Structures are given as C-alpha cells and as structure tokens.
Amino acid sequence: MKHFTVQEPLRIQQFILDEGIIPLHDHNYYELIGVQAGNGYHLINGNQVAYEPGDLFWLCPADYYGFIVQQKTRFCSLLFTPSYLAGLIAGSPYPWRHIQENTPSDSGKLLADPVASRKLMALIEIILAEHQEAQEITSNLVVDSLMQTILSLTDRQLAQQSLATTPRSSTSLALIQRIVSYVCQHITEPDSLRMDKMADVFNYSPGHLGALFKEHIGESIQQYIIRYKLKRVETRLSLSAMTISQIADEFGFADVCHLNKLFKRYYNDTPSNYRRYVLSS
C-alpha cells in the first residue's frame, strides 16, 4: 500500500479524475474531501461507500482509502497536518473533541443535512479562491478563520453522527462478529458459504440470519461475501504472481469470465488491467 505525505501545514487542491481506480493508500494528514461533480465509490478501511455531488468525506491519519471513479469526478480537497490542527486548537475556544479522536471510520462520509453540506462546501471553495488569488494560505488570518469555522461545523457533524448511532444488543453483535469471522475463514470454500449451510452452522433459519446480518452490516451476506472475495482478489493481483485463472480457482469463481464480470462491476475495470495499473504505479 502506498503512503502519501504532505510537507506544508495546509494544502488545498481541486482535481478532476476520469473513470478508473485510485489505489488504496494511507497518509499522515487530515483531509476533508468535497465531491463537486461525478459519482463512483469511496473505498475506506475495507468498506465501499457510494459518492455523488455534494458528498463530503472526513479522513483522519488513521484511515486508509482510495476511489473507484465511475463518472468523471471533480473533487475539492483540504489537507492539513496534525501540527497545523494543534496550532488552531491552541488559538480556539473549541477543543474539537470528535476530530481529535482520530479513530478509523466505517465510511468517512459526513451525513450532514443539505444546508450544512452547502455551508462546508462554500467555505472550502472560498479558501480555494483565496489560494488562487493570494497563493499563500498558511499564516493567512482569513484562511485560519475559515478553517476554524470548517472544523467547528465538521466536529458538530461528527458529534451528531456519534449520538445517532443506534445501540445494538451485545448478543446480536457477537453473532455478526462470528458470521464475519466464519466468512473470512471459509472464503475459499464456496460450499461452506451457501446460505443453507451457514444457517445450519449458526442455528438460524436462512431468512432470519440474512435479515439480522443486513440490519447490522447494511448489505446481504452474499453481497458481503462477494465484496470480501474481491478484496482478497485485489490483494492477490497486487502482491502475488498468480495468474487470473489461479485466483479465480482459489476463490471459487465459476471461471475467469465470472471473476472478470464481478470485478468490473465493483472496480470498473478488469483484473488484468487493474494489475497492470497497480504494478506501473
């Protein structure tokens, strides 16, 4: 996995990406990404989240992420270092507690209401305009003031999302953890991952087991299995010399065509093209 760093305390950038994949990477900075146009998927910490215009993603140094761009996308991104954040905190009456937690996210998406999203996007665009006009945005009192407002709004959204998280019973969570562990353990054994087999293993009816899993995870067991398989395929493509046919056999795909079809659906590219892209990066 690549590691990205920034040297300057604060950076703002606007960029356009055509269809394709930005491989997973980690980083040493905080980042607020706004989607101005286009759609696709944001890959973060092993999860896949659809994005569309108006979406905002908050990323801390503990996250690793990438993108699958399906439709030409224009992003606007604020990047800043922990030391820059510490300097703003020192001069602010707000501790921004949720921002400072620096814990990996399931989606990174700020589930803000449309008004809050528009406010944040407008503030980012003002900093972009300031950068285009004055070039220098560090040690800039106007930009520092805008950044304090942005961080206050972001921290508020993170706090609201934390409060909105529905507590789930420890019994149900334990079951979900067991299912996920079982899937990971048997991911190369298609017969073990049939719904009727899993229902027997966990002593639930197939319908009840499937409903519980979808309630907690947000997708069906079979969707989760496919996505997890493709993540393992991605790893094989990036880090092994196995042929596409060998990879398809290992994970129980009917044939290479079946693997190609599913991989392209989720990654918008074929396995062979993805491997060439990763190895040439």
Side-chain angles (χ1 to χ4, degrees):
M1 183 185 300
K2 288 191 171 184
H3 179 72
F4 290 176
T5 63
V6 293
Q7 302 302 322
E8 59 265 52
L10 174 65
R11 177 193 296 175
I12 186 163
Q13 56 191 17
Q14 187 178 52
F15 54 100
I16 297 174
L17 297 174
D18 291 320
E19 293 183 358
I21 297 173
I22 300 177
L24 290 170
H25 58 274
D26 59 13
H27 51 109
N28 71 335
Y29 47 83
Y30 293 90
E31 186 170 11
L32 181 61
I33 301 175
V35 180
Q36 296 175 307
N39 58 64
Y41 293 94
H42 185 217
L43 310 175
I44 177 168
N45 302 326
N47 299 307
Q48 181 171 299
V49 184
Y51 71 77
E52 60 184 14
D55 282 345
L56 291 154
F57 292 94
W58 168 255
L59 304 163
C60 67
D63 293 314
Y64 66 91
Y65 70 98
F67 284 97
I68 300 173
V69 177
Q70 292 190 312
Q71 183 184 63
K72 188 174 183 179
T73 300
R74 185 172 72 250
F75 297 100
C76 195
S77 171
L78 272 173
L79 307 84
F80 55 95
T81 62
S83 59
Y84 177 82
L85 175 62
L88 287 183
I89 291 172
S92 170
Y94 307 107
W96 300 317
R97 181 172 60 85
H98 291 84
I99 284 176
Q100 290 194 76
E101 284 178 355
N102 191 27
T103 53
S105 169
D106 289 336
S107 73
K109 183 182 286 190
L110 289 179
L111 303 176
D113 61 78
V115 174
S117 294
R118 285 196 295 271
K119 286 180 182 176
L120 280 167
M121 195 71 80
L123 290 168
I124 294 171
E125 289 173 353
I126 292 172
I127 294 179
L128 179 63
E130 184 74 11
H131 172 60
Q132 291 170 341
E133 181 178 333
Q135 296 300 313
E136 183 59 51
I137 57 172
T138 55
S139 303
N140 182 316
L141 293 178
V142 172
V143 172
D144 285 350
S145 177
L146 291 168
M147 283 297 298
Q148 289 192 343
T149 304
I150 286 171
L151 293 176
S152 295
L153 289 171
T154 299
D155 194 71
R156 181 194 299 173
Q157 292 304 315
L158 293 174
Q160 290 176 356
Q161 287 174 209
S162 178
L163 289 173
T165 302
T166 304
R168 293 175 169 125
S169 74
S170 58
T171 302
S172 294
L173 285 176
L175 172 63
I176 300 305
Q177 289 169 355
R178 287 170 56 211
I179 295 172
V180 169
S181 177
Y182 177 90
V183 168
C184 295
Q185 182 180 350
H186 298 280
I187 196 63
T188 59
E189 304 168 21
D191 287 344
S192 298
L193 299 178
R194 296 198 323 267
M195 199 63 201
D196 58 341
K197 172 65 175 177
M198 294 180 66
D200 287 341
V201 170
F202 294 101
N203 200 26
Y204 277 80
S205 71
H208 190 189
L209 189 69
L212 271 175
F213 189 90
K214 187 165 186 177
E215 177 187 350
H216 286 76
I217 301 299
E219 63 183 350
S220 72
I221 292 178
Q222 293 307 311
Q223 287 172 326
Y224 180 85
I225 290 170
I226 290 170
R227 192 161 56 81
Y228 182 67
K229 273 189 180 183
L230 292 176
K231 291 299 295 179
R232 295 287 297 274
V233 168
E234 180 189 355
T235 301
R236 292 287 188 272
L237 293 170
S238 303
L239 303 177
S240 82
M242 295 173 66
T243 67
I244 307 297
S245 179
Q246 288 172 332
I247 295 172
D249 288 342
E250 180 186 12
F251 292 105
F253 292 97
D255 50 35
V256 171
C257 290
H258 184 212
L259 172 56
N260 283 342
K261 182 178 179 180
L262 282 173
F263 196 90
K264 190 165 187 179
R265 181 189 304 169
Y266 281 79
Y267 289 84
N268 202 36
D269 209 346
T270 65
S272 55
N273 284 342
Y274 177 86
R275 170 174 269 170
R276 279 196 292 269
Y277 180 84
V278 169
L279 295 179
S280 66
S281 299

